[in-house]
Amino acid sequence: MSLFVAIKVTTPHLEPLITDLGLILMTAGIAVLLFKKLKQPLVLGYLIAGFLAGNNFDFFPSIRDTKSVEVWAEIGVIFLLFSLGLEFSFKKLIKVGGTASITAITQIAFMVFFGYTVGQLFDWSTMDSIFLGVILSISSTTIILKSFEELGVKAQRFAGNVIGSLIVQDIIAILMMVLLSTIAVSKNFSGGELIQSIFKLVFFLVLWFLSGIFIIPTVLKKAKHLLTDEMLLIISIALCLLMVIFAANVGFSPALGAFIMGSIIAETTQAEHIEHLVKPVKDLFGAVFFVSVGMLIDPEALKEHAIPVLVLSLVTILGQSISSTVGSLLSGQPLKESVQTGMSLSQIGEFSFIIATLGITLQVTSSFLYPIVVAVSAVTTFSTPYMIKFSGPFSDFLSRKLPRRWLKKIERYSASTQAIKTVNNWKIVINAYLIQVIIHSIIIVAVIVLSSRFILPLVKAYPFGSALCALITLIVLSPFLWALSLRRVAVAEVSVLLEDRKSRGPMAMLFLFRILLAVGYIGLLLNIFFSPKIALVAFVIAILLYFLFQKKINHQYHKIENHFLSNLNDREISKAKRSRSDLSPWDGHMAVFDIAAESNIAGETLKKLQLREQLGINIASIKRGEITIHIPDANERIFPGDEVFVIGTDVQLQDFKKYLDQHEIEASPEVREPDIVLRQIELKNHAFIGKSIKESKLREKTKGLVVGVEKRGKRFMNPESSILLEKDDILWIVGDKKLLADLVHE
């Protein structure tokens, strides 16, 4: 009887949650089917579904408990960011870090200024204008990610810069939230608190990444034979939520925690499998998030604030596009990719809602600001898929209409920026020393803090408890103290600098600084655990033991470092070897496609498929199990499970993807690079001048492919074999490195 009563009592609390979720998913399902039929982006369908299911539309069943929907939506953001981290690991982000950072910082600086200026023109308060500027400066990661998936552009070059910029924006957004909170409370700019927040963010990011890479891949590797798909999914979600809790407890965004854990797991050998398992969960909660955004669309607010909404929507779309394009150009990206990047970032989203809510919570912004932000977000969300879709044609239009001298300057700047390689020895040494000091200092400080806060209180009451705790802490820290003070870094560059008498003094100071820093950390540790007099004696003993067991400590550190590097590089080691440069000239690049068992082209020869003739692409390699077939000949067959490496432009690769989809292939391309090289050859006195590509037998001589020809300023991507070779033509050939080198010297 008591069980029945308990069920009866709890049912009313459960019912709104279940009925609301059912209504959301039903409405979203209908919208998805309708928009799929109309060949429109599904994001728009989710937004309309949210508007219909929300309380602002009276001719449709409405959501009863908006608080529960907000919880579902927050979970959706967490899983979307987790999936984003799985796809873009820290190492991938570092590769686009400079480009992404310049793009994001330029965009945010411009948009904060534009937003503040527009707010002042509307005669809004200073605080409303400041918050408006920050709100308009942050693009929406979730909306862009979903639009990329629906439009199938994730394999294109500009997408990496966009995603990298979004992550930089999210990190800067966290810092700006701290700054806004400080300004709102104190009514003054607190530079000290901002610097403290930056140090705190760097500290936790490095600590989480180092500990995560050291532990998580090892655990997954050891338990691999025990993990079923169900267990792997549960463990992955548990790790994601654990990092979300950590991030929230130290004052950061839960979404940032989810992204960090995704980036850590992305370094494991099971990253692709986990991404596949998490995708349905991400799609479910992601749909709820977008529907919840649609629920915030209020026709009355749109009507009341129509002019500000219209002006701010135009400022967001144009301002974000222009500022991001300028930032991308400044970072050295070509015109086309810069325009595509800029037009993709032309909206506001989830972080803007969070910042607007912060203003309401702190009671420093006017009540009208939030509905305006929601309306602008809705308008710009609707426009985002179309901005992305038309960014390519618009960049081509600009290429035709801009003055030729402007285009030449952009091309030269882009080429020179990407070609810059600084070989200054001092820069290399200082960077190496900074990395050494920062990483090991963070580890040492973290261990000291954890030991003093959580272990020392438990043992302090016991005899010699403090001494034992200090000894254990010192033993744990000894490898890192050795690395901080004595480990050699940038050995070759240091040797060169030491040959110069002027450089010996500064080098000695750098070395002494590292020694003193390590000694200082030892003193800090002992001072926390002992009284000053005892700490002084313990300090002398610790230094003696430190130098006495230096070799053992050295060995232990290298063991730890090798384990970390093994985990960090395990994913790359398990895959096929990658090349060291791009393998296509101009706007072509490499992508890989998986041939599924149900593919209709499986078993066919390349000659019969005629992919170059139909689609203009080149098959550069075929990976079959542990075997890689470079530059396959016309009689090579495609088999189920093959990984096909394809060279072409974004358009050609997109056409090839559609071609595969028509043959029931459901694989998405991922940019990869096989182990062959691209060479540029200028024809001066070569014997094959006046012959066609086929007659010159370049394929046979280089075991390669002619992927590009420049003739009198005109470029031909993947040229036909009948094209005639002339003097001063420039050939771009992918093939065997040695054979290409021999050809160059002929």
Side-chain angles (χ1 to χ4, degrees), residues 131-152:
F131 268 81
L132 178 65
V134 176
I135 287 167
L136 297 185
S137 69
I138 307 298
S139 302
S140 172
T141 302
T142 49
I143 291 169
I144 292 175
L145 182 61
K146 193 70 178 178
S147 298
F148 277 3
E149 287 180 354
E150 297 302 328
L151 296 172

Side-chain angles (χ1 to χ4, degrees), residues 422 424-441 480 482-495 497 507 510-511 513-514 517 557 561:
T422 304
N424 185 281
N425 288 324
W426 267 115
K427 181 178 179 180
I428 295 171
V429 170
I430 291 173
N431 284 342
Y433 271 56
L434 280 176
I435 292 171
Q436 191 82 353
V437 168
I438 291 171
I439 289 177
H440 292 101
S441 292
F480 305 106
W482 173 86
L484 175 63
S485 58
L486 299 175
R487 183 173 182 268
R488 300 175 69 191
V489 294
V491 178
E493 289 77 12
V494 169
S495 299
L497 290 174
M507 285 302 305
L510 284 175
F511 180 73
F513 171 75
R514 290 172 58 190
L517 191 60
Y557 174 80
E561 185 182 53

Side-chain angles (χ1 to χ4, degrees), residues 154-313:
K154 287 175 69 177
Q156 296 188 19
R157 283 187 167 186
F158 77 93
N161 188 26
V162 171
I163 304 270
S165 300
L166 289 169
I167 301 306
V168 175
Q169 281 187 31
D170 288 350
I171 294 172
I172 295 175
I174 294 167
L175 295 175
M176 289 198 296
M177 287 173 65
V178 175
L179 179 60
L180 287 174
S181 300
T182 305
I183 294 173
V185 173
S186 64
K187 307 298 182 183
N188 291 310
F189 175 80
S190 177
E193 280 203 37
L194 179 62
I195 293 171
Q196 184 181 352
S197 299
I198 293 173
F199 277 116
K200 180 181 175 183
L201 180 62
V202 171
F203 178 86
F204 280 106
L205 283 177
V206 174
L207 185 63
W208 285 336
F209 180 71
L210 293 175
S211 57
I213 292 296
F214 190 82
I215 297 169
I216 292 172
T218 304
V219 173
L220 292 178
K221 201 186 304 180
K222 296 285 186 184
K224 186 177 180 180
H225 64 288
L226 299 174
L227 294 176
T228 62
D229 284 358
E230 180 183 2
M231 292 173 63
L232 190 59
L233 175 62
I234 292 170
I235 290 172
S236 303
I237 293 176
L239 289 171
C240 170
L241 297 180
L242 182 65
M243 186 59 77
V244 165
I245 294 169
F246 284 158
N249 285 340
V250 296
F252 297 135
S253 163
L256 179 64
F259 170 77
I260 291 169
M261 181 51 69
S263 297
I264 292 170
I265 294 178
E267 307 299 347
T268 68
T269 55
Q270 301 186 55
E272 289 91 350
H273 189 43
I274 292 172
E275 184 182 350
H276 174 72
L277 293 175
V278 171
K279 189 177 185 301
V281 182
K282 177 202 74 173
D283 290 341
L284 172 63
F285 288 109
V288 176
F289 168 75
F290 288 111
V291 170
S292 70
V293 172
M295 289 170 57
L296 297 173
I297 300 173
D298 185 357
E300 291 299 323
L302 288 173
K303 182 179 178 181
E304 184 179 351
H305 304 288
I307 294 177
V309 168
L310 179 61
V311 171
L312 292 175
S313 297

Side-chain angles (χ1 to χ4, degrees), residues 34 39 48 67 71 87 90 106 120 171 292 315 344 348 368 371 397 405 434-435 451 524-525 533 556 644 685 711:
L34 180 61
K39 297 182 179 180
I48 291 177
K67 293 293 181 183
V71 173
E87 295 182 25
F90 274 109
T106 303
Q120 291 294 288
I171 294 172
S292 70
V315 168
S344 299
I348 59 174
F368 61 78
F397 172 78
R405 64 180 183 277
L434 280 176
I435 292 171
S451 181
L524 174 65
L525 168 65
K533 290 183 179 179
Q556 188 62 31
V644 181
N685 300 309
K711 299 174 73 67

Side-chain angles (χ1 to χ4, degrees), residues 447-457 459-460 464-474 477 521-532 534-535 538:
V447 172
I448 292 174
V449 170
L450 289 173
S451 181
S452 61
R453 286 193 179 182
F454 298 103
I455 300 177
L456 183 59
V459 300
K460 196 171 185 179
F464 305 107
S466 297
L468 183 62
C469 186
L471 179 62
I472 294 172
T473 306
L474 196 58
L477 287 178
Y521 285 133
I522 295 174
L524 174 65
L525 168 65
L526 297 175
N527 188 57
I528 291 173
F529 285 82
F530 302 108
S531 63
I534 299 175

Side-chain angles (χ1 to χ4, degrees), residues 467 470-472 474-475 478-479 481-482 486 522 526 537-554:
L471 179 62
I472 294 172
L474 196 58
I475 291 172
S478 58
L481 289 167
W482 173 86
L486 299 175
I522 295 174
L526 297 175
V537 176
F539 176 76
V540 175
I541 296 172
I543 295 295
L544 290 173
L545 292 174
Y546 177 67
F547 285 101
L548 186 63
F549 294 99
Q550 189 180 140
K551 287 186 177 180
K552 288 187 177 180
I553 294 172
N554 177 4

